[in-house]
Structures are given as C-alpha cells and as structure tokens.
Amino acid sequence: DSSGTPGAQTAVTRVGRCSIAAAGTSVVVTNALCTINSVVVAVVATNDATALIKNVVPAAGSFTVTLNAAATATTNINWQIVT
C-alpha cells in the first residue's frame, strides 16, 4: 500500500511506502517476498523533528520498521526489499 495511511500494511512488491501515526514508533509490513535473510532498506520520507529509523527487522513474510523516538506527526517511510 502506498497510500500513506498509518498502521500495519500489506504489500506484494519489493518497493513501497508505509506510515507511522503521530506518537507511534513502529509499523509492521506484511510481504510474502520478505524472508528472515532479506535486506530491507527504509528511509523516513517526511520531515519529522525527531523521528529517525532505528532499525528494520525482517521476518518470514513481514518486516518491522522502528523509529528512534515517537513520530510528531504522521510519518511516511519508503522501503525496499533488496534480497
């Protein structure tokens, strides 16, 4: 989903966008292309005063993007599954 709607997302592509709501710190993206060994690159795509990517943790069929601090407003994250 590339709509920018905050909350858990489901995608079936290697590239996409997810969003974290104001005061949120993480989002789970369900994606069958993701494995525990995937490299997932994510960048904050919204100007947020405090939110930076802390980590992206791949799992079988999903990955979780976690920020270093709570988002001050809805924060878009662009991501790509590299492998």
Side-chain angles (χ1 to χ4, degrees):
D1 183 355
S2 63
S3 65
T5 302
Q9 304 274 319
T10 299
V12 291
T13 63
R14 293 200 176 277
V15 177
R17 171 179 283 183
C18 58
S19 297
I20 297 175
T25 57
S26 67
V27 63
V28 175
V29 177
T30 300
N31 189 317
L33 301 174
C34 188
T35 72
I36 190 116
N37 296 316
S38 292
V39 174
V40 182
V41 178
V43 295
V44 173
T46 305
N47 189 13
D48 188 280
T50 59
L52 302 171
I53 301 290
K54 177 183 176 189
N55 59 29
V56 182
V57 180
S62 69
F63 60 89
T64 302
V65 179
T66 303
L67 302 176
N68 67 317
T72 57
T74 297
T75 301
N76 294 327
I77 310 290
N78 292 337
W79 54 264
Q80 179 177 10
I81 300 172
V82 179
T83 57

